[in-house]
Amino acid sequence: ASPIDSFNFNPTELSTRPYQILNTLYNLHIFLHQNSKYDKFDMNNLDIEKIKKSKFYGLIEKWINSKLQLLVHNVTKSLETCKFNEGAKSIEDFVINSLSQTYVPFTRDDLWEDNPESLERRGVIYTLLGLALRYGDILLHPFSPFISNYLFLMLFMRRKSILLESWPPVIEEDIDLQIESSVGKVREIISLSNSARMKAKIKRRWPISQVVIFLEKDEISQVENFSNLLKIQLNTDRLEVKSIPDIQSIYERIRTLLDLGLIKVTMKLKIKRFAPFVKDRVSLLVTSFERADQMAIFQSLLSHGSYRLNVGNDSFEIVKDDLDLTYTAAHGYSIAETESHDTVIFIATLR
């Protein structure tokens, strides 16, 4: 790393993380070798331009190809500028997050089909996985020469050594940042769905009767085949994607979710602002607030921005900042959301 860069690290992680990455890469080679051997696929004939013309070259294929081209660009640049740690980090992210945790799970079921009609589809997947691993081996070689050479020779017998291979070229027109952003959102939704499943103690292999996704802007339904892709990955037959224009506003978010009957709301009064005025009547203030119609308070805050609360012979004005609002999933649902609250997902827990 550059002397001016912050380079904090954990010695324990430093001794174990490289093994985890290389082990994942090795298993990806084994996975591709076993499946492609079954279909007698030629690993020395990987033609990216040919498969781009195939009807089976879908969105997830465009995404992994874009990620691969971006990886070659970033690693090449990092080596040219001697920022070796950045190149190694790019390889790690691609192998773990893009290949192992995304592309393989998305396409695994297609590879396991053995009917002749899906042979072309499997060929597209073999080609992309083969290129990703071949380029990955070459890019990894400056960091781990012996292991990368072993993996390369295990799967690709084009040369007697990886050193005889050319450095991978970058196909700039295949880099599509919009698709990368969309698939990134899909990955985020899948992660939230898994979190909601854990809360409800529902295993991933169990189907869900309904999934409802709330976004500030519906980026999913507008992209062809993304809804079907999500249904498969979320293991559900019924998927709804809804928009909340100002989803990061807790009041707008709660109003929409309440109207759909998906949440239960809890409101608590912030005492600090009222303490100087009510003094020894704090308990009376809290009791009056708890006895008031909570939904009436919420609706008044939404419509007028304030609510008059009667406390004995006095009344106090409550504004939005005077309340702590929390919510939980209604009966029959489990909820998960991002920290920024720009994505909220509900899964049905009843069968």
Side-chain angles (χ1 to χ4, degrees), residues 9 24 37 75 143 145 165 168-169 197 204 262 264 273 287 306 310 324:
F9 63 91
T24 300
K37 187 178 179 181
V75 174
F143 304 94
E165 281 287 324
R197 280 176 176 270
R204 295 186 187 183
L262 293 171
K264 297 179 291 184
R273 193 178 82 85
T287 302
S306 64
N310 295 320
D324 276 327

Side-chain angles (χ1 to χ4, degrees), residues 244-309:
I244 303 179
D246 194 12
I247 193 172
Q248 290 178 301
S249 165
I250 189 169
Y251 281 89
E252 293 299 324
R253 191 163 67 250
I254 287 177
R255 175 168 63 177
T256 302
L257 300 180
L258 269 177
D259 289 344
L260 295 170
L262 293 171
I263 59 171
K264 297 179 291 184
V265 182
T266 302
M267 295 190 291
K268 290 186 178 180
L269 200 60
K270 296 177 182 177
I271 303 300
K272 289 184 178 180
R273 193 178 82 85
F274 295 98
F277 306 105
V278 298
K279 297 181 180 178
D280 57 344
R281 293 184 296 167
V282 169
S283 59
L284 180 60
L285 172 68
V286 173
T287 302
S288 299
F289 176 78
E290 291 176 348
R291 289 179 177 174
D293 186 339
Q294 302 288 294
M295 286 301 99
I297 296 174
F298 183 78
Q299 293 297 336
S300 178
L301 290 172
L302 273 176
S303 304
H304 309 294
S306 64
Y307 176 82
R308 299 298 301 186
L309 178 67

Side-chain angles (χ1 to χ4, degrees), residues 128-341:
L128 281 168
L129 275 176
L131 283 172
L133 293 178
R134 192 172 86 193
Y135 286 2
D137 292 341
I138 296 171
L139 297 175
L140 181 66
H141 189 262
F143 304 94
S144 183
F146 299 108
I147 293 178
S148 60
N149 188 63
Y150 170 79
L151 294 175
F152 177 83
L153 294 179
M154 180 180 73
L155 196 57
F156 311 103
M157 298 301 295
R158 294 165 25 117
R159 305 284 191 273
K160 292 184 178 180
S161 171
I162 195 173
L163 291 172
L164 299 176
E165 281 287 324
S166 300
W167 192 256
V170 180
I171 307 175
E172 298 287 349
E173 60 267 23
D174 285 353
I175 299 177
D176 192 327
L177 298 182
Q178 184 176 357
I179 286 183
E180 290 193 26
S181 175
S182 298
V183 174
K185 176 59 70 174
V186 169
R187 291 171 62 188
E188 182 180 72
I189 290 170
I190 293 171
S191 177
L192 289 175
S193 173
N194 292 335
S195 177
R197 280 176 176 270
M198 288 181 64
K199 290 179 183 178
K201 297 181 180 180
I202 299 175
K203 296 182 179 180
R204 295 186 187 183
R205 66 175 178 269
W206 293 353
I208 301 173
S209 60
Q210 181 189 19
V211 176
V212 187
I213 301 168
F214 292 90
L215 305 167
E216 186 166 16
K217 183 181 179 182
D218 184 0
E219 303 170 347
I220 305 300
S221 302
Q222 299 172 3
V223 183
E224 185 182 1
N225 294 328
F226 260 33
S227 293
N228 292 332
L229 197 63
L230 264 178
K231 283 182 181 180
I232 295 171
Q233 295 302 313
L234 299 180
N235 197 6
T236 184
D237 292 327
R238 185 180 173 192
L239 174 67
E240 298 179 50
V241 181
K242 300 180 181 292
S243 297
I244 303 179
D246 194 12
I247 193 172
Q248 290 178 301
S249 165
I250 189 169
Y251 281 89
E252 293 299 324
R253 191 163 67 250
I254 287 177
R255 175 168 63 177
T256 302
L257 300 180
L258 269 177
D259 289 344
L260 295 170
L262 293 171
I263 59 171
K264 297 179 291 184
V265 182
T266 302
M267 295 190 291
K268 290 186 178 180
L269 200 60
K270 296 177 182 177
I271 303 300
K272 289 184 178 180
R273 193 178 82 85
F274 295 98
F277 306 105
V278 298
K279 297 181 180 178
D280 57 344
R281 293 184 296 167
V282 169
S283 59
L284 180 60
L285 172 68
V286 173
T287 302
S288 299
F289 176 78
E290 291 176 348
R291 289 179 177 174
D293 186 339
Q294 302 288 294
M295 286 301 99
I297 296 174
F298 183 78
Q299 293 297 336
S300 178
L301 290 172
L302 273 176
S303 304
H304 309 294
S306 64
Y307 176 82
R308 299 298 301 186
L309 178 67
N310 295 320
V311 182
N313 297 324
D314 298 322
S315 66
F316 295 91
E317 183 182 50
I318 298 176
V319 296
K320 291 181 178 180
D321 291 339
D322 294 332
L323 297 181
D324 276 327
L325 298 179
T326 57
Y327 53 87
T328 56
H331 177 67
Y333 291 94
S334 179
I335 182 177
E337 56 188 328
T338 56
E339 292 183 3
S340 59
H341 305 292

